[in-house]
Amino acid sequence: MYQENNAHKQQSMFSDFGNLPEKLKKKIEASWAGVFYREYFCRIDESIFAVLYSEEASRPNVPVNVLLGLETLKAGFGWSDEEMHEAFSFNVQVRYALGYRHLGEGHFELRTMYNFRARLREHMERTGEDLVEKAFEQITDEQVSALELKTGKLRMDSTQVASNIRQMSRLQLLVEVVRRMARNLNEIDRARYADLLAPYVKGTSGQYVYQTKPDEKETRLMCVGRVMQRLVTELAEAYKEDEAYQTLARVFDEHFSVTETDLRAKEGQEISAQSVQSPDDLDATYRKKRGEGYRGYVANVTETCDPDNPVQLIVDVQVEPNATDDGQMMAEALPELKERTDVEEMYTDGGYNGEAVDAALEAHPVKHIQTAMRGGAPDPDRLHLADFTVTTDADGAPIRIVCPNDVETEVRPGRSPERYIARFQYKSCDSCPFADQCPTQLRKRKRRGRALYFSRQNLKVAERRQSLAQHRAAAKHLRPAVEATVRSIKHPFRQGKLPVRGKPRVGMLIVGSAAMCNVRRLWRCEVEKKPATIAQMQEGVALFSASFSRFARRICDFIFAPPRHCCFAPNRS
């Protein structure tokens, strides 16, 4: 039965925390634990998680805000489950952060956390709703509102995160899938396929590959393929609902092509990046970036970046298989960001473009500022559409254009949809100093001048290039700092590899780490304010001391100064 935890809001007069010296109390309240309690724990809306519990009268649940708080601390500090539970049991700061002031209250078995995660995962798989992400957004929105942060400018970046899976060769992956199918067979089928599966169930898949000579790999790959083909065909009726069989059928379809007469192993380039990388994590995908291969997921992070803000907070986190394009994640995030914030400018790198991004920007007007662009750089010896000034109507369709020689003309629709043509008169083009570099084309009759043909997509690319040029000319760049943000989120996890598998669990840890990153920033903001106050006090004391010193010197000069007629009298001029 769901029950809200409000006990921490009314603390008892006598507690273990109350027995601490006053100096230690103030130190804990000013530490990260105090900020976590005030800015994160107290803002958790537990009712979001009520759907995970039965409505029938039963034993109340362990407080949701405690479980979610522990999951956040685990991610933020990179703890194992055992380290997390030990810290909860004995660490005074952790218990203070979670609203406990007595060492003997609130204890629960670690199995409770496992059950909580399982319910979160089942709810996500059933409804598609990520409750941890929903709670993160609710808490962050309250933090932004309380601090009155400006959200008109946001920046976005993505980073690769690895799942806790082995990097398998193609042969090892196929053998491992066959082995797991063999373990799921009933006794009759196990005896029936004993001889067929004998080479693969003896030892591990790694040992099988280790004992394979380089010149035998292709032959053994085809042997495993034929075994998989037979199992997929003959076991379909009895095992079609079995997860191991579904994985077997999927991997076989991804790696082999069946013809009318024979079986063929697909070439490497024929295998999709969305293919199974490990039977332990079916959501993980493969992506090659800057010449390096990654298996796992991609985390997309959005944070505020207005220079007037005293602190910048992460407002959105997305976790997807790493084959997902950056532009697609931006297009998915933009509608909700537009609803939750006042975003008017979005700063990204060159990976965030494409038709999906263009459509999202049109539906939810936001100025997109990129610091780079995909593809090769334009020829510097030629003019391009980005060198022209185009005026558009309310729908974004071009109506007027001005060339680099300051000649203006009308833009008219072309013969095809979203194609346009701008015609320049012969007089203006005949003596143009940019004639040799101009992208316009001579019309059929030379005396009729030149014409510039372009599409709506060409215009969008030109606008991005113009925005990029303006951004590079600016003195202050807002995007680069987001790279430090994604680094801080991955920092608790060694080499960016998370100790979990599956998109739900990977998402929980990344969101938890982002929430802890916000808490640390709020804590640092508070710490920086206090030294400023102390510095002001010290400056005031110094000014008072200097003034008092000058006053004292004057008194001494007056008392002990010799008479004016004396030759040793000081010069008063």
Side-chain angles (χ1 to χ4, degrees), residues 74-128:
K74 167 187 166 66
F77 287 103
W79 290 334
S80 65
D81 286 337
E82 289 74 16
E83 290 171 332
M84 174 196 70
H85 195 257
E86 184 176 343
F88 172 70
S89 301
F90 306 112
N91 191 315
V92 176
Q93 281 185 298
V94 171
R95 295 188 65 78
Y96 183 90
L98 299 175
Y100 289 118
R101 304 296 179 264
H102 291 278
L103 293 177
E105 64 178 346
H107 285 281
F108 58 87
E109 294 298 324
L110 195 52
R111 173 59 57 185
T112 302
M113 179 63 79
Y114 299 155
N115 294 336
F116 179 65
R117 292 171 185 162
R119 286 194 293 270
L120 286 171
R121 184 178 63 253
E122 290 169 2
H123 179 81
M124 183 177 177
E125 292 174 350
R126 185 176 68 256
T127 65

Side-chain angles (χ1 to χ4, degrees), residues 168-181:
M168 296 182 175
S169 65
R170 184 178 182 181
L171 180 60
Q172 184 178 0
L173 173 63
L174 300 182
V175 172
E176 183 64 28
V177 170
V178 170
R179 285 171 49 80
R180 298 196 179 194
M181 185 67 239

Side-chain angles (χ1 to χ4, degrees), residues 158 274 287 298 300 318 320-332 350-357 374:
S158 65
Q274 303 280 358
R287 183 176 183 179
V298 59
N300 194 56
Q318 298 165 271
E320 299 292 343
N322 66 2
T324 308
D325 186 71
D326 290 350
Q328 181 180 337
M329 288 188 288
M330 178 179 171
E332 293 175 357
Y352 293 85
N353 59 9
E355 294 182 2
V357 172
R374 286 177 176 173

Side-chain angles (χ1 to χ4, degrees), residues 210-252:
Y210 180 77
Q211 296 169 0
T212 302
K213 297 178 181 179
D215 57 345
E216 297 177 343
K217 287 185 178 180
E218 294 298 326
T219 304
R220 293 201 173 190
L221 188 69
M222 290 303 303
C223 290
V224 177
R226 292 189 180 93
V227 170
M228 295 177 73
Q229 183 182 22
R230 180 176 171 184
L231 293 176
V232 168
T233 305
E234 297 179 3
L235 300 178
E237 188 64 29
Y239 293 88
K240 60 183 178 181
E241 301 298 330
D242 189 273
E243 184 177 351
Y245 173 82
Q246 293 172 357
T247 304
L248 177 76
R250 176 182 168 183
V251 172
F252 174 74

